Amino acid sequence: MSDCIFCQIAKGEVPARVVYEDDEVVAFEDINPQVPVHVLVIPRQHYNDIGDDVPEALLGHLLAVAARVAQEKGVAETGYRLLTNIGEDGRQTVGHLHMHVLGGAKMPIRMGPAD
C-alpha cells in the first residue's frame, strides 16, 4: 500500500532506525518509545493485522525476530513484553501488522487506561 507508513519504511522510502532486516521482516525503533527499549517488528508485505490470512511461517518468523531483537537490545535476560494491537478497540494506530518489543523497565499490568 503506497500510503502505509510501515510499507514506506520497509521499502526504505521513509527513514527509520532499523535494528534488523531481512527479505521478509524489518525491525526498527519506535519514534515515540513507551519504555527504554521499544522496537517494532513488521513484515515487509502489507497485512492489516494478524487475522489478515498471514502465513504461519511468517508469523513464526516475526516471533523469532522479536526474540532476536530482545536479545540484541539486552532485555531477554530481565524480561520483555511482546504486543500486537488489532483493530480500533485493540488500539491499533497503524493498519499494518506489527509487533512491539517492549523492555528495559518493569512493565505495568496495564499499558494504559481502558476507556
Side-chain angles (χ1 to χ4, degrees), residues 16-71:
R17 292 182 310 237
V18 174
V19 298
Y20 175 87
E21 63 182 318
D22 63 27
D23 291 342
E24 296 181 285
V25 173
V26 178
F28 55 93
E29 303 279 349
D30 193 291
I31 62 169
N32 185 26
Q34 303 301 302
V35 291
V37 173
H38 190 166
V39 175
L40 302 176
V41 182
I42 68 167
R44 286 188 184 274
Q45 183 173 338
H46 185 88
Y47 296 95
N48 288 322
D49 57 49
I50 202 165
D52 196 15
D53 202 25
V54 183
E56 289 180 17
L58 179 56
L59 292 173
H61 188 51
L62 287 168
L63 287 170
V65 169
R68 178 181 178 156
V69 166
Q71 185 71 38

Side-chain angles (χ1 to χ4, degrees), residues 93-111:
T93 58
V94 177
H96 185 115
L97 172 61
H98 59 285
M99 298 183 76
H100 299 258
V101 179
L102 303 158
K106 188 97 169 167
M107 294 291 144
I109 293 172
R110 286 184 29 203
M111 290 300 292

Side-chain angles (χ1 to χ4, degrees), residues 59-100:
L59 292 173
H61 188 51
L62 287 168
L63 287 170
V65 169
R68 178 181 178 156
V69 166
Q71 185 71 38
E72 290 177 1
K73 288 292 190 176
V75 296
E77 291 282 325
T78 58
Y80 58 98
R81 180 173 286 171
L82 294 180
L83 174 70
T84 186
N85 298 319
I86 301 166
E88 186 178 340
D89 285 353
R91 306 261 184 199
Q92 183 177 9
T93 58
V94 177
H96 185 115
L97 172 61
H98 59 285
M99 298 183 76
H100 299 258

